[in-house]
Amino acid sequence: MDKLSRLLISATTSGSGKTTVTLGLLRALKNRGLRTQPFKCGPDYIDTKYHDMASGNHSINLDVFLASSDHVKSVYTKYTAKNDACIVEGVMGLYDGYDRMEGSSAQIAELLDLPVVLVINAKSMAYSSAALLYGFKNFYKGINVVGVIFNFVASESHYSYLKDACEDVGLEALGYLPKDTNVEIPSRHLGLNIEKEFIFDEFANKVADLIEKHINVDRLLEITSTERTQYISKETKTGKGNLNISVAYDEAFNFIYHENIEYLKQLGNVIFFSPIADKKLPLHSDLVYLPGGYPELYLSELSSNKPMLESINSYIENEGKLIAECGGMMYLCTSIANKDGVEYPMVNILKQKATMQHMKLKLGYRAFNYNGQSIKGHEFHYSKTEDPENNLSSVTQIHNAKGMQVDTKLIRYKNTIAGYTHIYWAELDLMKLFE
C-alpha cells in the first residue's frame, strides 16, 4: 500500500465503548492481514495491554503532559510509516483534558493532524444525537471529525434515525455495534479486566466479526488515508550503553510504558526477570526496575519466594541502583496486607506497610523536580501505605497537573528511588536521578 490510514477513535464521554470499538477494529484489520499500529492517548497502561493482544504490536502512549509535543510527534512518526493503519484510542471524552483541552484527545488529534471518528452511546437516543454531533463537530475548528460509529444500537430501525442525524449534521455514519452483553469488557478495581478467566482472543474476534458485519471498514480506511511518505522517520540511532538493566516482568509486575523500555535499551542490555518465579536478581545488575502491576493478587507467591526477597534486599543494601513504582514500591515495603488485613512479608527495605484495606482510588498526573530535572508521571492506585512512626519522608514536593501540592511521596533510600508515581522517562537523564 502506498497509502496508510490514520485515525483517532474518540467519544463524547467515557463509557461510550471506544475501547471495545478500538479492540475490535484492531483485530479486524489484523485478520485482514494488515499491519496495524495501536496508540493510546494519555497515561493508561492497561488499555495498551489489550491493544498489544488485539493487534500483535506494542501499543504506544501519546501524552503531552508526560512528554513534550516534539517527543510525541517523533514517537508517533517512528511507529507509523511501516504500517498499513495506525489507530489511536482517545481518553475520556474528545475534549476532556487535565485543564480544559490540555492533555485531551482533541489536543493529540490537532498536534498529529489525525482525523477523528466519534463513538456515540446511542442507548435511549435517536434523532437527538444530531444536536450532540453538531456540537462536537463545530465546537473547535482545529479538529476534523470525519465519521461516527454508534454503539448499543437496538435495531436497524434505530440505526436509521441515527443515520438521519448524521446526514443533517454533515457527518458520515460508518456503522454501528448492536447492543450485545457478550461484547462488554468486564471491569475490575484497577480498570479493565486482565484476569486469566477473561478469554481475550474469543472476545476480540467476536467484536471483530460484529465490526465487519455492521461497520463499513473499507470506507473508514478510505476517508482516513494519507500518503505514507509523509511519515518516514528522521530518527537517528545513538550509541548503545553498556549497563546491565534488570526489569521485573511477570503476572505481578507489568505496567510499563513501552518507550521506557526502548529508552533503557539505549542505556544497555535489558534483562527481564520474575519476582514470582526466579530465585534471585540477574547477575551483575547495574540498574533494577520494579514497575507497577498487581502484586496484591500474588501476595502468597511473592512472600514465599524468600530467596528473591533476600536477593533484592541485599542488592539495595549494597548500594545497587533501583527504581520502584507503585506496585514495585509496595513490594519493597515491610509487608503488604490484602483487603482482609492479612499481612504478607515483603522485601523489608522501606520501613512502612502497604495495604489494600479500605480501598480508595487515588489518581492524577504528578510533577516534581529532583536532582536538577523536571519529572512528570501519573498516579493510579487503590492501595495506601502506613507509616505511623514517620520513618520515611519525601525527598521532594510533588504537585498535580494544576500545580497544587499532593501528599504523594518520592522516597530515597541509598540508591533506591521509590514512590507511587509511574514516571515517563524517555526524555530524562535517568542515571542523573541517583546523584
Side-chain angles (χ1 to χ4, degrees), residues 93-371:
L94 177 59
Y95 297 109
D96 295 324
Y98 61 85
D99 187 3
R100 297 189 178 182
M101 277 177 54
E102 292 295 316
S104 67
S105 303
Q107 188 178 18
I108 293 291
E110 183 176 31
L111 177 67
L112 301 177
D113 191 26
L114 293 173
V116 174
V117 173
L118 276 179
V119 177
I120 303 293
N121 182 346
K123 185 178 180 181
S124 304
M125 183 188 296
Y127 188 70
S128 290
S129 61
L132 185 67
L133 292 171
Y134 181 87
F136 271 78
K137 177 187 176 185
N138 295 290
F139 174 73
Y140 183 69
K141 298 304 181 184
I143 302 302
N144 180 23
V145 180
V146 298
V148 184
I149 294 172
F150 294 96
N151 196 15
F152 307 110
V153 174
S155 64
E156 281 287 348
S157 175
H158 182 195
Y159 182 55
S160 69
Y161 289 103
L162 301 169
K163 286 194 294 183
D164 289 343
C166 285
E167 182 178 345
D168 289 352
V169 170
L171 286 174
E172 187 161 348
L174 294 168
Y176 68 94
L177 285 180
K179 185 164 53 178
D180 186 345
T181 57
N182 291 322
V183 294
E184 293 179 5
I185 303 172
S187 61
R188 54 164 292 116
H189 71 260
L190 193 54
L192 297 179
N193 184 297
I194 60 171
E195 294 183 12
K196 294 177 181 178
E197 58 263 29
F198 178 47
I199 305 172
F200 180 83
D201 276 336
E202 180 180 319
F203 166 83
N205 286 323
K206 189 175 294 184
V207 181
D209 289 344
L210 288 172
I211 281 179
E212 292 285 12
K213 181 177 180 180
H214 296 286
I215 294 174
N216 190 341
V217 177
D218 292 330
R219 180 59 179 160
L220 182 149
L221 295 175
E222 180 184 354
I223 65 176
T224 59
S225 66
T226 190
E227 296 294 330
R228 185 189 305 277
T229 53
Q230 296 182 37
Y231 294 94
I232 302 300
S233 177
K234 297 183 176 68
E235 184 182 72
T236 57
K237 296 290 184 181
T238 57
K240 183 175 180 178
N242 57 5
L243 297 178
N244 291 318
I245 304 163
S246 300
V247 177
Y249 189 83
D250 59 14
E251 301 93 327
F253 304 100
N254 49 56
F255 292 165
I256 302 175
Y257 296 128
H258 181 70
E259 286 306 289
N260 279 359
I261 298 300
E262 292 300 295
Y263 172 78
L264 292 179
K265 288 178 180 178
Q266 295 176 26
L267 300 182
N269 300 309
V270 174
I271 305 163
F272 294 101
F273 73 98
S274 169
I276 290 177
D278 295 328
K279 297 303 179 186
K280 60 182 178 179
L281 286 173
L283 289 175
H284 311 302
S285 296
D286 298 305
L287 175 65
V288 174
Y289 174 37
L290 298 176
Y294 287 131
E296 67 271 20
L297 299 182
Y298 302 93
L299 294 177
S300 178
E301 295 90 334
L302 292 169
S303 185
S304 62
N305 190 357
K306 291 185 173 23
M308 176 59 77
L309 297 176
E310 292 167 0
S311 176
I312 294 176
N313 185 296
S314 176
Y315 172 83
I316 293 172
E317 293 290 10
N318 286 291
E319 307 287 346
K321 295 179 174 65
L322 184 146
I323 293 178
E325 298 174 342
C326 201
M329 179 272 294
M330 295 166 63
Y331 181 57
L332 296 184
C333 292
T334 301
S335 63
I336 302 176
N338 63 19
K339 60 183 178 158
D340 297 318
V342 179
E343 293 186 17
Y344 293 81
M346 293 293 157
V347 175
N348 194 29
I349 280 290
L350 304 181
K351 305 304 180 181
Q352 62 182 6
K353 297 179 180 181
T355 179
M356 299 302 298
Q357 278 194 297
H358 313 298
M359 294 191 305
K360 184 178 181 181
L361 177 61
K362 194 165 189 177
L363 80 163
Y365 285 117
R366 300 291 180 253
F368 57 91
N369 294 310
Y370 187 64
N371 281 355

